Amino acid sequence: MRAYETRVDLLEVRLDWLRDWTVEDLEFLRDRPVLWTFRPVRQGGEFAGADSERFEVLRQIGRRRLGQWVDVEWDVWPPLIMELRGYFKVLLSYHQYDGHLPPWPDLGELFRAKPHDAVKIALTLHRWADIVRFLDIVEACQAEGWDGVWVVMGPRGTWLRILTPWFGGLWTYASPEGTGRATADGQVSVEELRQVYRYPEMAPDHRIYGLLGDPVAHSVSPYIHNRLFQEVGLAAHYVPFAVDDLEAFLRVMHVLPLGGLSVTVPHKIAILRYLDDVEPAARDIGAVNTVVRREDRWVGANTDWVGFWRPLVRRFGVRSWRALIVGAGGAAHAVAYALRRAGCSFAVTNRTHAKAEALARRFGGTAVPWDAVKPGAFDLLIHTTPLGMAPHIDTLPPIPDAWLVDKVVYDLIYNPPETRLLRRARAVGARAVLSGLPMLAEQAAEQFRLWTLQTVRADDIVALAQAHLERQSETFNIFD
Ligand code: ATR
């Protein structure tokens, strides 16, 4: 608590989580900004005793004049709430952990019936359609003149925890770091909220950017783009949007000062129909990984192909490669586009041959069944499947050694920076290996340039991403 008091505005003490304590033990929090929460089991907390006992403790804390706020559940008897209001400001809270969204009339009635200084609504929601309805409830509360704390628990609500100032929330909850775990599902840590998202500096006229995908929780993009915004001095914040429903998502985005989006699996193709313009490369590839808001138009672009191509040129100069693409998904499309554009020839092989054929037809290559691949026919192998990606880092795609010997082997995976495939390629005598990290950096740099017209060095992004991945893997090692 002492370590955190200079870094947060309010310390929430979950009394129901403490063991072996007395009210005297809380004296050290005197004159510190504290919110007391003493959650009973029936409301998702840990306290299994009687309500009378719970309130006697809160009363004793109140008599000692410790803390400013108390969280009181909506089902508490009004005279008890009145009494606590003599000591604290009351945050009247409503929690729901089962994915269910209560109707506004019921919630409104509930909150109107009990005294409070602010309300808290914390719901576990899985669908963006429900998040839209939740934001309507937030507006209804504000129309009643109530201050409030608005929380969507679960990975789909992380963005809202970060962008609290845009929704008039009194505060947001963040977990202490070092535990390796959030104190609630979808929460970010104090350190991330401050250092990565720059929460204390947020203001409603700042621009918002984000990563649209599902899932997005382990992405490095927030660590890259937020740092870049900071380095070039732009008042902008980049957040993860884990989205199941594009239409609902865009309804929310229309009311935010959105500057642009990174787009990833599974929305790269589906986003196309919602855009006002699509740049030619993105149209040719058939996928958008970047959305730029220009005036009131939403423009789609693709920076994956540049991201793929630039590291090759940087390392080997412009060459007329004979390439073998392994895999025929979204990433393979950007690769084939780049190769065709540079006048290189390519063959593609894939588990599902029909998809290799479609890709080959579209970009002018040859589809080859896995068993018919001739190692003499290519000098550059590009691996585009997810096999070997964290957390499945021990997976080796079923690529024979003969495809690796003497070849340039390019694995588009960036986490881990050196996959098992690349280690294998090195061991059997590949001519050179290339990881997906520079590609990630180049596509991010290009994306950043489209949004801001500012040029950043890909090498700096590689360093940022690497540092983050190392931190992340340390956390995994300790806590998984
Ligand atoms: P992305 O957009 O990241 O490229 P994707 O579109 O899902 O992802 O494409 C994944 C590619 O990896 C596909 O070519 C897929 O093969 P299928 O077309 O047969 O689905 C390939 N892939 C995924 N898992 C695979 C596995 N276990 N073995 C072989 N190929 C695999």
Side-chain angles (χ1 to χ4, degrees):
M1 286 288 168
R2 288 204 189 97
Y4 277 91
E5 66 182 354
T6 56
R7 293 191 281 156
V8 300
D9 301 305
L10 190 61
L11 297 157
E12 182 189 37
V13 180
R14 281 295 295 263
L15 296 167
D16 54 307
W17 284 1
L18 303 181
R19 296 285 170 266
D20 305 321
W21 59 283
T22 64
V23 172
E24 287 89 85
D25 295 334
L26 306 175
E27 268 297 333
F28 80 102
L29 287 167
R30 178 166 297 285
D31 301 325
R32 291 183 164 90
V34 172
L35 159 68
W36 306 109
T37 300
F38 204 176
R39 191 90 64 227
V41 172
R42 67 166 192 281
Q43 286 277 355
E46 294 281 304
F47 183 71
D51 264 10
S52 52
E53 195 186 329
R54 198 158 68 95
F55 281 88
E56 183 47 33
V57 170
L58 290 172
R59 230 177 255 125
Q60 286 177 26
I61 295 173
R63 281 196 211 106
R64 285 174 183 258
R65 298 270 152 214
L66 299 172
Q68 283 77 44
W69 283 89
V70 65
D71 179 318
V72 178
E73 300 76 20
W74 64 271
D75 58 0
V76 167
W77 196 43
L80 276 178
I81 304 180
M82 284 306 288
E83 198 195 333
L84 289 185
R85 250 186 135 187
Y87 306 118
F88 311 104
K89 287 200 224 177
V90 166
L91 179 70
L92 189 64
S93 66
Y94 182 96
H95 291 78
Q96 188 75 262
Y97 303 94
D98 64 1
H100 168 77
L101 185 90
W104 161 247
D106 297 0
L107 261 183
E109 208 169 300
L110 243 154
F111 286 150
R112 260 179 242 118
K114 314 262 164 127
H116 60 256
D117 298 282
V119 298
K120 173 189 183 188
I121 310 177
L123 309 175
T124 300
L125 297 178
H126 306 296
R127 299 160 4 121
W128 267 75
D130 288 336
I131 292 179
V132 170
R133 285 157 65 207
F134 175 76
L135 294 175
D136 289 341
I137 291 178
V138 168
E139 253 183 54
C141 287
Q142 287 164 339
E144 299 271 346
W146 300 334
D147 280 332
V149 185
W150 328 112
V151 183
V152 171
M153 295 179 284
R156 298 250 151 86
T158 300
W159 70 277
L160 187 58
R161 291 177 179 276
I162 301 168
L163 299 184
T164 293
W166 277 269
F167 295 88
L170 271 184
W171 60 72
T172 190
Y173 293 83
S175 57
E177 48 270 6
T179 62
R181 276 182 313 163
T183 36
D185 195 11
Q187 219 173 51
V188 295
S189 70
V190 171
E191 202 57 25
E192 285 199 4
L193 206 55
R194 292 175 59 90
Q195 306 284 339
V196 179
Y197 298 104
R198 287 179 294 139
Y199 186 85
E201 297 160 36
M202 282 179 184
D205 62 324
H206 289 188
R207 283 274 169 149
I208 295 167
Y209 292 80
L211 171 62
L212 166 63
D214 201 20
V216 292
H218 291 291
S219 169
V220 297
S221 294
Y223 302 89
I224 295 173
H225 287 298
N226 281 311
R227 179 65 80 83
L228 296 178
F229 282 130
Q230 192 175 9
E231 279 174 9
V232 302
L234 277 176
H237 310 267
Y238 182 102
V239 298
F241 294 112
V243 172
D244 62 316
D245 174 344
L246 280 183
E247 235 151 85
F249 169 72
L250 292 171
R251 282 233 291 286
V252 178
M253 289 308 112
H254 277 292
V255 302
L256 284 176
L258 191 78
L261 293 168
S262 314
V263 188
T264 185
V265 181
H267 301 306
K268 283 185 174 185
I269 297 168
I271 189 80
L272 276 159
R273 56 187 284 242
Y274 299 98
L275 301 170
D276 300 306
D277 297 310
V278 178
E279 292 193 339
R283 191 159 299 285
D284 276 4
I285 294 165
V288 161
N289 81 322
T290 308
V291 173
V292 189
R293 194 164 181 173
R294 293 203 182 114
E295 308 290 321
D296 268 337
R297 298 183 75 75
W298 300 65
V299 183
N302 190 304
T303 69
D304 282 335
W305 73 271
V306 190
F308 159 75
W309 186 244
R310 272 192 201 148
L312 270 181
V313 174
R314 284 230 223 164
R315 179 108 165 242
F316 303 101
V318 176
R319 294 224 183 159
S320 188
W321 298 101
R322 293 177 306 147
L324 174 71
I325 305 174
V326 179
H333 278 63
V335 167
Y337 172 86
L339 291 169
R340 185 190 63 186
R341 192 177 163 122
C344 302
S345 65
F346 73 89
V348 52
T349 191
N350 189 43
R351 177 177 61 182
T352 312
H353 189 62
K355 279 168 79 179
E357 285 179 323
L359 185 81
R361 258 198 312 279
R362 182 166 180 156
F363 297 100
T366 333
V368 188
W370 207 282
D371 300 333
V373 169
K374 291 197 177 54
F378 61 93
D379 47 19
L380 167 68
L381 180 142
I382 303 138
H383 175 241
T384 71
T385 87
L387 297 171
M389 194 188 298
H392 308 291
I393 59 171
D394 289 328
T395 312
L396 188 64
I399 291 176
D401 289 350
W403 298 10
L404 306 172
V405 179
D406 236 16
K407 311 293 182 198
V408 172
V409 179
Y410 191 168
D411 194 339
L412 303 195
I413 292 169
Y414 67 81
N415 185 13
E418 186 168 78
T419 56
R420 237 188 111 184
L421 174 67
L422 291 188
R423 282 208 304 279
R424 177 93 202 131
R426 243 192 247 284
V428 301
R431 215 180 102 214
V433 299
L434 209 56
S435 101
L437 207 52
M439 171 173 172
L440 169 82
E442 293 283 3
Q443 70 77 28
E446 184 61 16
Q447 201 159 63
F448 196 76
R449 195 185 63 76
L450 287 172
W451 292 333
T452 65
L453 306 177
Q454 307 255 7
T455 309
V456 287
R457 280 164 37 95
D459 289 345
D460 295 342
I461 301 181
V462 167
L464 275 177
Q466 226 152 8
H468 174 70
L469 290 173
E470 273 161 29
R471 270 199 310 276
Q472 204 179 45
S473 70
E474 277 164 27
T475 322
F476 282 146
N477 290 345
I478 299 168
F479 296 104
D480 275 3

